[in-house]
Amino acid sequence: DLLAFPEISIERLAVIWPELANLAPRIASQLETDARYAAYVRRQNDDVASVKRDESLTIPVNFDYSELPSLSAELRTKLSRQKPSTIAQAARLEGMTPAAVLVLLGRIKAASGLPKSA
């Protein structure tokens, strides 16, 4: 956890825990890298889990995809034409990115009154 802070390194921690000085340089470097990105990986894993939980969430038939300005015009058009009935179907459309799925999911939940993290 301490290695997640930019000013903390294996060398600084070795002052407190001398056994860290015995780590191979490659391992020490990998530990520092893993620690720095751990929060991002955790957040992305949470997003993936959220989408998996909500794959069966129904998209209203009259859903207005033009209300998703953060999606490309091409993707909004494709969604409007295809009219996927669930998040899982929308996610399988060509060009649908994980970020786009999250945008769609968030808007549907907001429109239906569901909590965004449910």
Side-chain angles (χ1 to χ4, degrees):
D1 287 343
L2 292 172
L3 287 172
F5 294 97
E7 66 277 0
I8 304 294
S9 65
I10 290 285
E11 291 81 21
R12 286 192 70 188
L13 291 178
V15 173
I16 301 166
W17 294 290
E19 58 272 14
L20 292 177
N22 298 328
L23 289 174
R26 245 179 85 216
I27 293 173
S29 175
Q30 187 64 53
L31 282 173
E32 287 177 339
T33 301
D34 289 351
R36 300 232 192 299
Y37 288 99
Y40 300 107
V41 170
R42 200 170 21 255
R43 188 175 314 132
Q44 197 161 35
N45 287 338
D46 290 347
D47 288 346
V48 168
S50 174
V51 169
K52 284 189 183 286
R53 267 192 317 272
D54 296 318
E55 282 183 332
S56 62
L57 186 65
T58 302
I59 300 172
V61 175
N62 61 348
F63 187 80
D64 185 5
Y65 294 100
S66 68
E67 292 182 6
L68 303 172
S70 58
L71 299 185
S72 69
E74 179 184 356
L75 195 50
R76 289 192 310 264
T77 300
K78 189 177 288 189
L79 286 163
S80 294
R81 285 186 183 146
Q82 296 288 326
K83 297 197 180 300
S85 60
T86 65
I87 293 296
Q89 288 178 352
R92 288 191 292 272
L93 290 176
E94 185 179 338
M96 195 69 167
T97 65
V101 173
L102 288 174
V103 168
L104 177 60
L105 183 58
R107 183 58 62 102
I108 290 170
K109 284 185 169 189
S112 64
L114 294 171
K116 286 187 180 181
S117 62

